[in-house]
Amino acid sequence: MTARMLDGRALAGRLERSLQQEVETFAAMFGRRPRLVVVLVGDMAASASYVKSKSLAAARVGIDSDVVPVAATASTADLVALVKALASEKHGPADGILVQLPLPPHVDTVAVLDAVPPDRDVDGFHPENAGLLSQGRPRFIPCTAAGVQRMLIDAEIPTAGKHVVIVGRSDIVGKPLALLLASRPPVGCPPDGTGGCDASVTICHSRSGDLGHLTRQADILVAAVGRPGLITADMVRKGAAVIDVGINRVEGKLVGDVDYGPVSEVAGWISPVPGGVGPMTVAMLMSNTLLAAEIRRRP
Ligand code: NAP
């Protein structure tokens, strides 16, 4: 079997084109565009490249965006004060405020993320937004989780009654994705409940023991770890959908967590790296930014 490719780049392009029209409608109604402010701390090349992708996507869909560069030496207190100042609109309206991760090790990341007002938290990392998602009434769904769900819906890969195995339990990917796919519809999925919810989900991590024993049970296998080649062909059930969230740099090349060539001989569907989940994450950020702007204008 040769797996069908889940082309995240193409789907993100389609989503962006439809968002562009919604942004124009917003701009016509309110006389201004949604605005995203990204705080970029330090000079890590990977972070700078992610922020550039976000700025370019914002320009494509017609969202105003600004990057606020901060020295790597900034303290937790400096960053909390900066986020609060951005939220106070002294620098103009900021519908969405995003702090690019990771922050330098001396910074208390949780304290900085908690300073982002929950109604502008377009990454969906604030505890209020995490809590709303866990209760099945999300406001901002973390972008990568939302992007994976959207890929499954778009490819008409059924989730209801299926077994999803997610490798990785981070607050930004694994946990929100598990909540989303196990939700009762409609949470993120179409109102007719045609996909993206009602799965049975297993979350794996570094202490899971026999990982292959668990991953082989998956109808849908998601790798969100950050270890190149962790998921090998013998860990995948024939015909399963394999979603590779991992981004790793190996000898200057971007690769995921999945051993792509051999796994694509076993899987029914597979997402590539690059060109899979990454562009979807950025598209969902644009969607969350428009939603933030709309929420702030509701009476
Ligand atoms: P993270 O916070 O470091 O979490 C990694 C998870 O993987 C942890 O739960 C860890 O287990 C688990 N893990 C580590 N080694 C393992 C092993 N040998 N077997 C099973 N589980 C193992 O990472 P993250 O922020 O979720 O990101 C994960 C990957 O996704 C990274 O490569 C990141 O760059 C990428 N990413 C991509 C996108 C995108 O848009 N495509 C967005 C976000 C992240 P413990 O909890 O036990 O430590």
Coordinates of all heavy atoms in Angstrom, one line a residue, residues 94-194:
A94 N -4.6 45.4 19.7 CA -4.0 44.1 19.4 C -5.1 43.1 19.7 O -5.4 42.8 20.8 CB -2.8 43.9 20.4
D95 N -5.7 42.6 18.6 CA -6.7 41.6 18.7 C -6.2 40.3 19.2 O -6.7 39.6 20.1 CB -7.5 41.4 17.4 CG -8.1 42.6 16.9 OD1 -9.0 43.2 17.7 OD2 -7.8 43.1 15.9
G96 N -5.0 39.9 18.7 CA -4.3 38.7 19.1 C -2.9 39.0 19.6 O -2.2 39.8 18.9
I97 N -2.6 38.4 20.7 CA -1.2 38.6 21.2 C -0.6 37.2 21.4 O -1.2 36.3 22.0 CB -1.2 39.3 22.6 CG1 -1.8 40.7 22.5 CG2 0.2 39.4 23.2 CD1 -2.0 41.5 23.8
L98 N 0.6 37.0 20.8 CA 1.2 35.7 20.8 C 2.6 35.9 21.2 O 3.3 36.8 20.7 CB 1.1 35.2 19.3 CG 1.7 33.8 19.0 CD1 1.0 33.3 17.7 CD2 3.2 33.9 18.7
V99 N 3.1 35.0 22.1 CA 4.5 35.0 22.6 C 5.1 33.8 21.9 O 4.7 32.7 22.2 CB 4.6 35.0 24.1 CG1 6.1 35.0 24.5 CG2 3.8 36.1 24.7
Q100 N 6.1 34.0 21.0 CA 6.7 32.9 20.3 C 7.5 32.1 21.3 O 8.3 32.6 22.1 CB 7.6 33.4 19.2 CG 8.2 32.3 18.4 CD 7.2 31.5 17.6 OE1 6.3 32.0 17.1 NE2 7.4 30.2 17.6
L101 N 7.3 30.8 21.3 CA 8.0 29.8 22.2 C 9.1 29.1 21.4 O 8.9 29.0 20.2 CB 7.0 28.8 22.8 CG 5.9 29.4 23.6 CD1 5.0 28.3 24.1 CD2 6.4 30.2 24.8
P102 N 10.1 28.6 22.0 CA 10.4 28.6 23.4 C 11.0 30.0 23.9 O 11.6 30.7 23.1 CB 11.4 27.5 23.6 CG 12.2 27.5 22.3 CD 11.2 27.9 21.2
L103 N 10.8 30.3 25.2 CA 11.4 31.4 25.8 C 12.7 31.0 26.4 O 12.9 29.8 26.6 CB 10.5 32.0 26.9 CG 9.2 32.6 26.3 CD1 8.3 33.1 27.4 CD2 9.5 33.8 25.4
P104 N 13.7 31.9 26.6 CA 15.0 31.5 27.2 C 14.8 30.8 28.5 O 13.8 31.0 29.2 CB 15.7 32.8 27.4 CG 15.0 33.8 26.4 CD 13.6 33.3 26.3
P105 N 15.7 29.9 28.9 CA 15.5 29.1 30.1 C 15.3 29.8 31.4 O 14.6 29.3 32.3 CB 16.7 28.2 30.1 CG 17.6 28.6 29.0 CD 16.9 29.6 28.1
H106 N 15.8 31.1 31.5 CA 15.7 31.8 32.7 C 14.3 32.4 32.9 O 14.0 33.0 34.0 CB 16.8 32.9 32.8 CG 16.6 34.0 31.8 ND1 17.1 33.9 30.6 CD2 15.9 35.2 31.9 CE1 16.8 35.0 29.9 NE2 16.0 35.8 30.7
V107 N 13.5 32.3 31.9 CA 12.2 33.0 31.9 C 11.1 32.0 32.4 O 11.1 30.8 31.9 CB 11.8 33.6 30.5 CG1 10.4 34.1 30.5 CG2 12.8 34.7 30.1
D108 N 10.2 32.4 33.2 CA 9.0 31.6 33.6 C 8.0 31.7 32.5 O 7.2 32.6 32.5 CB 8.5 32.2 35.0 CG 7.3 31.4 35.5 OD1 6.7 30.6 34.7 OD2 7.0 31.6 36.7
T109 N 8.0 30.7 31.7 CA 7.1 30.7 30.5 C 5.6 30.8 30.9 O 4.8 31.6 30.3 CB 7.4 29.5 29.6 OG1 8.7 29.5 29.2 CG2 6.5 29.4 28.4
V110 N 5.3 30.0 31.9 CA 3.9 30.0 32.3 C 3.4 31.4 32.8 O 2.3 31.9 32.4 CB 3.6 29.0 33.4 CG1 2.2 29.1 34.0 CG2 3.9 27.6 32.9
A111 N 4.3 32.1 33.5 CA 3.9 33.5 34.0 C 3.7 34.4 32.8 O 2.7 35.2 32.8 CB 5.0 34.0 34.9
V112 N 4.5 34.3 31.8 CA 4.4 35.2 30.6 C 3.1 34.8 29.9 O 2.3 35.7 29.5 CB 5.6 35.1 29.7 CG1 5.5 35.9 28.5 CG2 6.9 35.5 30.5
L113 N 2.9 33.5 29.6 CA 1.7 33.2 28.9 C 0.4 33.5 29.6 O -0.6 33.9 29.0 CB 1.7 31.7 28.5 CG 2.8 31.2 27.6 CD1 2.7 29.7 27.3 CD2 2.8 32.0 26.3
D114 N 0.5 33.4 30.9 CA -0.7 33.7 31.7 C -1.1 35.2 31.7 O -2.2 35.6 32.0 CB -0.5 33.3 33.2 CG -0.7 31.8 33.4 OD1 -1.0 31.1 32.4 OD2 -0.6 31.4 34.6
A115 N -0.1 36.1 31.3 CA -0.3 37.5 31.2 C -1.1 37.9 30.0 O -1.6 39.0 29.9 CB 1.1 38.2 31.3
V116 N -1.1 37.0 29.0 CA -1.9 37.3 27.8 C -3.4 37.3 28.1 O -3.9 36.3 28.6 CB -1.6 36.3 26.7 CG1 -2.4 36.6 25.4 CG2 -0.1 36.3 26.3
P117 N -4.1 38.4 27.9 CA -5.6 38.3 28.3 C -6.2 37.2 27.5 O -6.0 37.0 26.3 CB -6.1 39.7 27.8 CG -4.9 40.6 27.7 CD -3.7 39.7 27.3
P118 N -7.1 36.4 28.2 CA -7.7 35.2 27.5 C -8.5 35.5 26.3 O -8.6 34.7 25.4 CB -8.6 34.6 28.6 CG -8.5 35.5 29.8 CD -7.4 36.5 29.6
D119 N -9.0 36.8 26.1 CA -9.8 37.1 24.9 C -8.9 37.5 23.8 O -9.4 37.8 22.7 CB -10.9 38.1 25.2 CG -10.3 39.5 25.6 OD1 -9.1 39.5 26.0 OD2 -11.0 40.5 25.6
R120 N -7.6 37.5 24.0 CA -6.6 37.8 22.9 C -5.6 36.7 22.7 O -4.6 36.8 22.0 CB -5.9 39.1 23.2 CG -6.8 40.2 23.5 CD -6.2 41.5 23.5 NE -7.0 42.4 24.2 CZ -6.8 43.7 24.3 NH1 -5.8 44.2 23.7 NH2 -7.6 44.5 25.0
D121 N -5.8 35.6 23.4 CA -4.9 34.5 23.5 C -5.1 33.6 22.3 O -5.6 32.5 22.4 CB -5.1 33.8 24.8 CG -4.5 32.4 24.9 OD1 -3.3 32.3 24.4 OD2 -5.1 31.5 25.4
V122 N -4.6 34.1 21.1 CA -4.9 33.3 19.9 C -4.2 32.0 19.8 O -4.5 31.2 18.9 CB -4.6 34.2 18.6 CG1 -5.7 35.3 18.5 CG2 -3.2 34.9 18.8
D123 N -3.2 31.8 20.6 CA -2.5 30.5 20.7 C -3.4 29.5 21.5 O -3.2 28.3 21.5 CB -1.2 30.6 21.4 CG 0.0 30.5 20.4 OD1 -0.2 30.0 19.2 OD2 1.1 31.0 20.7
G124 N -4.3 30.0 22.3 CA -5.2 29.1 23.1 C -4.5 28.5 24.3 O -4.9 27.4 24.7
F125 N -3.4 29.1 24.8 CA -2.6 28.4 25.9 C -3.0 28.9 27.3 O -2.6 28.3 28.3 CB -1.1 28.7 25.7 CG -0.5 28.2 24.4 CD1 0.7 28.6 23.9 CD2 -1.2 27.1 23.7 CE1 1.2 28.1 22.8 CE2 -0.6 26.6 22.6 CZ 0.6 27.1 22.1
H126 N -3.8 30.0 27.4 CA -4.2 30.5 28.7 C -5.0 29.5 29.4 O -5.9 28.8 28.8 CB -4.9 31.8 28.5 CG -5.2 32.6 29.8 ND1 -6.2 32.2 30.7 CD2 -4.5 33.6 30.3 CE1 -6.1 33.0 31.7 NE2 -5.2 33.9 31.5
P127 N -4.9 29.4 30.7 CA -5.7 28.3 31.4 C -7.2 28.5 31.3 O -7.9 27.5 31.2 CB -5.3 28.5 32.9 CG -4.3 29.6 33.0 CD -3.9 30.0 31.6
E128 N -7.7 29.7 31.1 CA -9.1 29.9 30.8 C -9.5 29.2 29.5 O -10.5 28.6 29.4 CB -9.4 31.4 30.8 CG -10.9 31.7 30.7 CD -11.2 33.1 30.8 OE1 -10.7 33.8 31.8 OE2 -12.0 33.6 30.0
N129 N -8.7 29.4 28.5 CA -9.0 28.8 27.2 C -8.8 27.3 27.2 O -9.6 26.5 26.6 CB -8.2 29.4 26.1 CG -8.7 30.9 25.8 OD1 -9.9 31.1 25.8 ND2 -7.7 31.8 25.7
A130 N -7.8 26.8 28.0 CA -7.6 25.4 28.1 C -8.8 24.8 28.8 O -9.3 23.7 28.5 CB -6.3 25.1 28.8
G131 N -9.3 25.5 29.8 CA -10.4 25.0 30.6 C -11.7 24.9 29.8 O -12.4 24.0 29.8
L132 N -11.9 26.0 29.0 CA -13.1 26.0 28.1 C -13.0 24.8 27.1 O -14.1 24.2 26.9 CB -13.2 27.3 27.4 CG -13.6 28.5 28.2 CD1 -13.4 29.8 27.4 CD2 -15.0 28.4 28.7
L133 N -11.9 24.6 26.6 CA -11.8 23.4 25.6 C -12.0 22.1 26.4 O -12.8 21.3 25.9 CB -10.3 23.4 25.0 CG -10.0 22.2 24.1 CD1 -11.0 22.1 22.9 CD2 -8.6 22.2 23.6
S134 N -11.5 22.0 27.6 CA -11.7 20.7 28.3 C -13.2 20.5 28.6 O -13.6 19.4 28.8 CB -10.9 20.7 29.6 OG -11.5 21.4 30.6
Q135 N -14.0 21.6 28.7 CA -15.4 21.5 29.0 C -16.2 21.4 27.7 O -17.5 21.4 27.8 CB -15.9 22.7 29.8 CG -15.3 22.7 31.2 CD -15.9 23.8 32.1 OE1 -16.5 24.8 31.5 NE2 -15.7 23.8 33.3
G136 N -15.6 21.4 26.6 CA -16.3 21.2 25.3 C -17.0 22.5 24.8 O -17.9 22.4 24.1
R137 N -16.5 23.7 25.3 CA -17.0 24.9 24.8 C -15.9 25.9 24.5 O -15.7 26.9 25.1 CB -18.0 25.5 25.8 CG -17.5 25.6 27.2 CD -18.5 26.0 28.2 NE -18.0 26.1 29.5 CZ -18.1 27.2 30.2 NH1 -18.7 28.3 29.8 NH2 -17.6 27.3 31.5
P138 N -15.0 25.5 23.5 CA -13.8 26.2 23.3 C -14.0 27.6 22.8 O -15.0 27.9 22.1 CB -13.1 25.4 22.2 CG -14.1 24.7 21.5 CD -15.2 24.4 22.5
R139 N -13.0 28.5 23.1 CA -13.0 29.9 22.5 C -11.9 29.8 21.5 O -12.1 29.8 20.3 CB -12.7 30.9 23.6 CG -12.7 32.3 23.1 CD -12.0 33.2 24.1 NE -12.9 33.6 25.3 CZ -12.5 33.6 26.5 NH1 -11.2 33.3 26.8 NH2 -13.3 34.0 27.5
F140 N -10.6 29.8 21.9 CA -9.5 29.6 21.0 C -8.9 28.2 21.1 O -8.4 27.9 22.2 CB -8.4 30.6 21.3 CG -8.9 32.0 21.1 CD1 -8.9 32.9 22.2 CD2 -9.3 32.5 19.9 CE1 -9.4 34.2 22.1 CE2 -9.7 33.8 19.7 CZ -9.8 34.7 20.9
I141 N -9.0 27.4 20.1 CA -8.4 26.1 20.1 C -7.0 26.2 19.7 O -6.6 26.8 18.7 CB -9.2 25.1 19.2 CG1 -10.7 25.0 19.6 CG2 -8.5 23.8 19.1 CD1 -11.5 24.3 18.6
P142 N -6.0 25.6 20.5 CA -4.6 25.7 20.1 C -4.4 25.3 18.6 O -5.0 24.3 18.1 CB -3.9 24.7 21.1 CG -4.8 24.8 22.3 CD -6.2 24.9 21.8
C143 N -3.6 26.1 17.9 CA -3.6 26.1 16.5 C -3.2 24.8 15.9 O -3.8 24.3 14.9 CB -2.7 27.2 16.0 SG -3.1 28.8 16.6
T144 N -2.2 24.1 16.5 CA -1.8 22.8 15.9 C -2.9 21.8 16.0 O -3.1 21.0 15.1 CB -0.5 22.4 16.5 OG1 0.5 23.4 16.4 CG2 0.1 21.1 15.9
A145 N -3.5 21.7 17.2 CA -4.5 20.7 17.4 C -5.7 21.0 16.4 O -6.2 20.1 15.8 CB -5.0 20.8 18.8
A146 N -6.1 22.3 16.3 CA -7.2 22.7 15.4 C -6.8 22.3 13.9 O -7.6 21.8 13.2 CB -7.5 24.2 15.5
G147 N -5.5 22.5 13.6 CA -5.0 22.2 12.2 C -5.1 20.7 11.9 O -5.5 20.3 10.8
V148 N -4.7 19.9 12.9 CA -4.8 18.4 12.7 C -6.2 18.0 12.6 O -6.6 17.2 11.7 CB -4.1 17.7 13.9 CG1 -4.4 16.2 13.8 CG2 -2.6 18.0 13.9
Q149 N -7.1 18.5 13.4 CA -8.5 18.1 13.3 C -9.1 18.5 11.9 O -9.8 17.7 11.3 CB -9.3 18.8 14.4 CG -10.8 18.4 14.4 CD -11.7 19.3 15.2 OE1 -11.5 20.5 15.2 NE2 -12.6 18.7 16.0
R150 N -8.7 19.7 11.5 CA -9.2 20.2 10.2 C -8.7 19.3 9.0 O -9.4 19.0 8.1 CB -8.8 21.7 10.0 CG -9.5 22.4 8.8 CD -11.0 22.4 9.0 NE -11.4 23.4 10.0 CZ -11.7 24.6 9.7 NH1 -11.7 25.1 8.5 NH2 -12.1 25.4 10.7
M151 N -7.4 18.9 9.1 CA -6.9 18.0 8.1 C -7.7 16.7 8.0 O -8.0 16.1 6.9 CB -5.4 17.6 8.4 CG -4.4 18.6 8.1 SD -2.8 18.1 8.7 CE -2.0 17.7 7.2
L152 N -8.1 16.1 9.2 CA -8.8 14.9 9.2 C -10.2 15.1 8.6 O -10.7 14.3 7.8 CB -8.9 14.4 10.7 CG -7.6 13.9 11.3 CD1 -7.8 13.7 12.8 CD2 -7.1 12.6 10.6
I153 N -10.8 16.2 9.0 CA -12.2 16.5 8.5 C -12.1 16.6 6.9 O -12.9 16.1 6.2 CB -12.8 17.8 9.1 CG1 -13.0 17.5 10.6 CG2 -14.0 18.2 8.4 CD1 -13.3 18.8 11.4
D154 N -11.1 17.4 6.5 CA -11.0 17.7 5.0 C -10.8 16.5 4.2 O -11.4 16.3 3.1 CB -9.9 18.7 4.8 CG -9.8 19.1 3.4 OD1 -10.7 19.8 2.9 OD2 -8.9 18.6 2.7
A155 N -10.0 15.5 4.8 CA -9.7 14.3 4.0 C -10.8 13.2 4.3 O -10.7 12.1 3.7 CB -8.4 13.7 4.5
E156 N -11.8 13.6 5.0 CA -13.0 12.7 5.3 C -12.5 11.4 6.0 O -12.9 10.3 5.7 CB -13.8 12.4 4.1 CG -14.4 13.7 3.5 CD -15.3 13.5 2.3 OE1 -15.3 12.4 1.8 OE2 -16.0 14.5 1.9
I157 N -11.5 11.6 6.8 CA -11.0 10.4 7.6 C -11.9 10.3 8.9 O -11.9 11.3 9.7 CB -9.5 10.6 8.0 CG1 -8.7 10.6 6.7 CG2 -9.1 9.5 9.0 CD1 -7.2 11.0 6.9
P158 N -12.7 9.3 9.0 CA -13.6 9.3 10.1 C -12.9 9.2 11.5 O -11.8 8.6 11.6 CB -14.4 8.0 9.9 CG -13.7 7.2 8.9 CD -12.7 8.1 8.2
T159 N -13.4 9.9 12.5 CA -12.9 9.8 13.8 C -13.9 9.2 14.8 O -13.5 8.6 15.8 CB -12.5 11.2 14.4 OG1 -13.7 12.1 14.2 CG2 -11.3 11.8 13.6
A160 N -15.2 9.3 14.5 CA -16.2 8.8 15.4 C -16.0 7.2 15.6 O -16.0 6.5 14.6 CB -17.6 9.1 14.9
G161 N -15.9 6.8 16.8 CA -15.7 5.4 17.1 C -14.4 4.9 16.8 O -14.1 3.7 17.0
K162 N -13.5 5.7 16.3 CA -12.1 5.2 16.0 C -11.2 5.4 17.1 O -11.4 6.2 18.0 CB -11.6 6.0 14.7 CG -12.5 5.9 13.5 CD -12.5 4.5 13.0 CE -13.4 4.3 11.8 NZ -13.6 2.9 11.4
H163 N -10.0 4.7 17.0 CA -9.0 4.8 18.1 C -7.9 5.7 17.6 O -7.2 5.4 16.6 CB -8.5 3.4 18.4 CG -7.6 3.4 19.6 ND1 -6.9 2.3 20.0 CD2 -7.2 4.4 20.5 CE1 -6.2 2.6 21.1 NE2 -6.4 3.8 21.4
V164 N -7.8 6.8 18.3 CA -6.7 7.8 18.0 C -5.6 7.6 19.1 O -5.9 7.6 20.3 CB -7.1 9.2 18.1 CG1 -6.0 10.2 17.8 CG2 -8.2 9.5 17.0
V165 N -4.3 7.4 18.6 CA -3.2 7.3 19.6 C -2.3 8.5 19.3 O -1.9 8.7 18.2 CB -2.4 6.0 19.4 CG1 -1.2 6.0 20.3 CG2 -3.3 4.8 19.7
I166 N -2.1 9.3 20.3 CA -1.3 10.5 20.2 C 0.0 10.3 21.0 O -0.1 10.0 22.2 CB -2.1 11.7 20.8 CG1 -3.3 12.0 20.0 CG2 -1.2 13.0 20.7 CD1 -4.3 13.1 20.6
V167 N 1.1 10.4 20.4 CA 2.4 10.3 21.1 C 2.8 11.7 21.4 O 3.1 12.5 20.5 CB 3.4 9.5 20.3 CG1 4.6 9.2 21.1 CG2 2.8 8.2 19.7
G168 N 2.9 12.0 22.7 CA 3.2 13.4 23.1 C 2.1 13.9 23.9 O 0.9 13.9 23.5
R169 N 2.4 14.5 25.1 CA 1.3 15.0 26.0 C 1.5 16.4 26.4 O 1.2 16.8 27.5 CB 1.3 14.1 27.3 CG 2.6 14.1 28.1 CD 2.5 13.3 29.4 NE 3.8 12.9 29.9 CZ 4.0 12.2 30.9 NH1 3.0 11.7 31.6 NH2 5.2 11.9 31.3
S170 N 2.1 17.2 25.5 CA 2.3 18.6 25.8 C 1.0 19.4 25.9 O 0.0 19.0 25.3 CB 3.3 19.3 24.8 OG 2.5 19.5 23.6
D171 N 1.1 20.5 26.7 CA -0.1 21.4 26.8 C -0.4 22.1 25.5 O -1.5 22.5 25.3 CB 0.2 22.5 27.8 CG 0.2 21.9 29.3 OD1 -0.3 20.8 29.4 OD2 0.8 22.5 30.1
I172 N 0.6 22.2 24.6 CA 0.3 22.9 23.4 C -0.1 22.0 22.2 O -0.7 22.5 21.3 CB 1.5 23.8 23.0 CG1 2.7 23.0 22.6 CG2 1.9 24.8 24.1 CD1 3.8 24.0 22.0
V173 N 0.2 20.8 22.2 CA -0.2 19.9 21.1 C -1.0 18.7 21.6 O -2.2 18.5 21.4 CB 1.0 19.4 20.3 CG1 0.5 18.6 19.0 CG2 1.9 20.6 19.8
G174 N -0.3 17.7 22.3 CA -0.9 16.4 22.6 C -2.2 16.5 23.4 O -3.2 16.0 23.0
K175 N -2.2 17.3 24.5 CA -3.3 17.3 25.4 C -4.5 18.0 24.7 O -5.6 17.4 24.7 CB -3.0 18.1 26.7 CG -2.6 17.1 27.8 CD -2.5 17.8 29.1 CE -1.2 17.8 29.7 NZ -1.0 18.7 30.8
P176 N -4.4 19.2 24.1 CA -5.6 19.8 23.5 C -6.1 19.0 22.3 O -7.3 18.9 22.1 CB -5.1 21.2 23.0 CG -3.6 21.2 23.1 CD -3.2 20.1 24.1
L177 N -5.2 18.3 21.6 CA -5.7 17.5 20.4 C -6.5 16.3 21.0 O -7.5 15.9 20.4 CB -4.5 17.0 19.6 CG -4.8 16.1 18.4 CD1 -5.7 16.9 17.4 CD2 -3.6 15.7 17.7
A178 N -6.0 15.7 22.1 CA -6.8 14.6 22.6 C -8.2 15.0 23.1 O -9.2 14.4 22.8 CB -6.0 14.0 23.8
L179 N -8.2 16.2 23.7 CA -9.6 16.7 24.1 C -10.5 17.0 22.9 O -11.7 16.7 23.0 CB -9.4 18.0 24.9 CG -8.8 17.9 26.3 CD1 -8.4 19.3 26.8 CD2 -9.9 17.3 27.2
L180 N -9.9 17.6 21.9 CA -10.6 17.9 20.7 C -11.2 16.7 20.0 O -12.4 16.6 19.7 CB -9.7 18.7 19.8 CG -10.2 19.5 18.7 CD1 -11.2 20.5 19.2 CD2 -9.1 20.2 18.0
L181 N -10.4 15.7 19.8 CA -10.8 14.6 19.0 C -11.8 13.7 19.8 O -12.6 12.9 19.2 CB -9.6 13.8 18.5 CG -8.7 14.5 17.5 CD1 -7.6 13.6 17.0 CD2 -9.5 15.1 16.3
A182 N -11.7 13.7 21.1 CA -12.6 12.9 22.0 C -13.8 13.7 22.3 O -14.7 13.1 23.0 CB -11.8 12.5 23.3
S183 N -14.0 14.9 21.9 CA -15.2 15.7 22.2 C -16.4 15.2 21.6 O -16.4 14.5 20.6 CB -15.0 17.2 21.7 OG -13.9 17.8 22.2
R184 N -17.5 15.6 22.3 CA -18.8 15.4 21.6 C -18.9 16.5 20.6 O -18.6 17.6 20.8 CB -20.0 15.6 22.6 CG -20.2 14.5 23.5 CD -21.6 14.6 24.1 NE -21.7 13.7 25.2 CZ -21.4 13.9 26.5 NH1 -21.1 15.1 26.8 NH2 -21.6 13.0 27.4
P185 N -19.5 16.2 19.4 CA -19.6 17.3 18.4 C -20.7 18.3 18.8 O -21.6 17.9 19.5 CB -20.0 16.5 17.1 CG -20.6 15.2 17.6 CD -19.9 14.9 18.9
P186 N -20.7 19.5 18.3 CA -19.6 20.0 17.4 C -18.6 20.8 18.2 O -18.9 21.9 18.8 CB -20.4 21.0 16.5 CG -21.5 21.5 17.4 CD -21.8 20.4 18.4
V187 N -17.4 20.3 18.4 CA -16.3 21.1 19.0 C -15.3 21.2 17.9 O -14.5 20.2 17.7 CB -15.8 20.4 20.3 CG1 -14.6 21.2 20.8 CG2 -16.9 20.5 21.4
G188 N -15.2 22.3 17.3 CA -14.2 22.5 16.2 C -14.7 21.9 14.9 O -14.3 22.3 13.8
C189 N -15.6 20.8 15.0 CA -15.9 20.1 13.8 C -17.2 20.7 13.2 O -17.8 21.6 13.8 CB -16.2 18.6 14.1 SG -17.4 18.4 15.3
P190 N -17.6 20.3 12.0 CA -18.8 20.9 11.4 C -20.0 20.6 12.2 O -20.1 19.6 12.9 CB -18.9 20.2 10.0 CG -17.6 19.6 9.8 CD -17.0 19.3 11.1
P191 N -21.0 21.5 12.2 CA -22.2 21.4 13.1 C -23.0 20.1 12.8 O -23.6 19.6 13.7 CB -23.1 22.6 12.7 CG -22.2 23.5 11.9 CD -21.0 22.8 11.4
D192 N -22.8 19.5 11.6 CA -23.5 18.3 11.4 C -22.8 17.1 12.0 O -23.2 15.9 11.9 CB -23.8 18.0 9.9 CG -22.5 17.9 9.1 OD1 -21.4 18.0 9.7 OD2 -22.5 17.6 7.9
G193 N -21.6 17.4 12.7 CA -20.9 16.3 13.4 C -20.3 15.3 12.4 O -20.2 14.1 12.7
T194 N -19.9 15.8 11.2 CA -19.4 14.8 10.2 C -17.9 14.5 10.4 O -17.4 13.8 9.6 CB -19.6 15.3 8.8 OG1 -19.1 16.7 8.7 CG2 -21.0 15.3 8.4

